[in-house]
Amino acid sequence: SLPNRTYGFLDGRDPQKLTEQVKLIHAQYKDSDRDVLIVYDGGGNRPDFDKWISQYTNLVLMPVLPSDEDVDVAMDYLEEVPDAQLLINRMPTNVWEKDSVERYIQRLPQEKIIARVKHSGPVRHMLDGTEFTTGHTGLNNFARELYRRVNLRLKEMAEAA
């Protein structure tokens, strides 16, 4: 964990080390009443790893760009990890562009889509090495909304179980 951060991070390049850490976190919090969100950024094109780590999760989110190729990959992924939920990433804000990508999104199981993330140009500015204390308002608002949606989906899943 970093100073002044409420989260920690793990480097997943060493599968053995990551496996040990995930098992440790799972054992520590599985019976806890604390909200613990473990976010991992894909298995690096390792489908077996994705299936393995999904057994330690309550919710798997897969980011999907609104494109033909990404939708094909997402559909294949859902066959491997059927409980995964989808996060439409970099959704255009322009009305005509949004309409043009809708045909891809409609190919996805709509009940699996947890949120649509608007494309956010200002994120580029956070990557230019300039110090910042917080993201821009649109990004912060989306992060809050996504957190609420994830918690709602987890609650719905718990009630259905």
Side-chain angles (χ1 to χ4, degrees):
S1 196
L2 298 171
N4 301 319
R5 305 281 184 185
T6 57
Y7 59 86
F9 61 90
L10 302 171
D11 184 343
R13 291 176 287 187
D14 179 347
Q16 180 62 36
K17 187 183 272 185
L18 183 61
T19 298
E20 293 167 8
Q21 291 297 311
V22 168
K23 286 181 177 180
L24 179 67
I25 291 168
H26 184 261
Q28 184 175 359
Y29 290 105
K30 71 179 179 176
D31 296 321
S32 171
D33 60 352
R34 290 185 57 198
D35 287 334
V36 178
L37 298 177
I38 298 175
V39 177
Y40 82 98
D41 185 10
N45 203 15
R46 297 177 289 182
D48 291 339
F49 177 79
D50 285 348
K51 282 192 275 188
W52 171 81
I53 200 165
S54 71
Q55 72 184 334
Y56 293 101
T57 66
N58 296 92
L59 179 64
V60 174
L61 290 176
M62 180 186 187
V64 181
L65 292 174
S67 71
D68 195 40
E69 182 180 359
D70 260 40
V71 168
D72 287 343
V73 169
M75 295 301 287
D76 289 345
Y77 187 84
L78 286 171
E79 287 181 23
E80 297 294 322
V81 185
D83 292 334
Q85 303 291 298
L86 306 173
L87 184 68
I88 307 300
N89 199 11
R90 293 192 216 156
M91 187 68 186
T93 54
N94 175 288
V95 173
W96 295 285
E97 197 176 357
K98 195 183 321 182
D99 287 346
S100 75
V101 301
E102 196 61 38
R103 68 180 184 267
Y104 303 120
I105 296 169
Q106 290 305 312
R107 289 178 37 212
L108 297 165
Q110 299 301 295
E111 72 280 2
K112 297 276 188 182
I113 298 173
I114 195 168
R116 295 177 183 216
V117 181
K118 292 181 203 170
H119 179 74
S120 182
V123 171
R124 286 190 306 267
H125 303 297
M126 296 186 339
L127 302 175
D128 67 3
T130 306
E131 288 284 327
F132 63 93
T133 57
T134 186
H136 66 86
T137 302
L139 183 61
N140 287 340
N141 288 343
F142 174 76
R144 287 184 199 98
E145 180 62 21
L146 179 59
Y147 181 78
R148 283 190 288 274
R149 288 179 187 214
V150 165
N151 277 332
L152 178 61
R153 186 63 56 100
L154 288 168
K155 182 180 178 186
E156 291 169 352
M157 292 167 66
E159 289 172 356

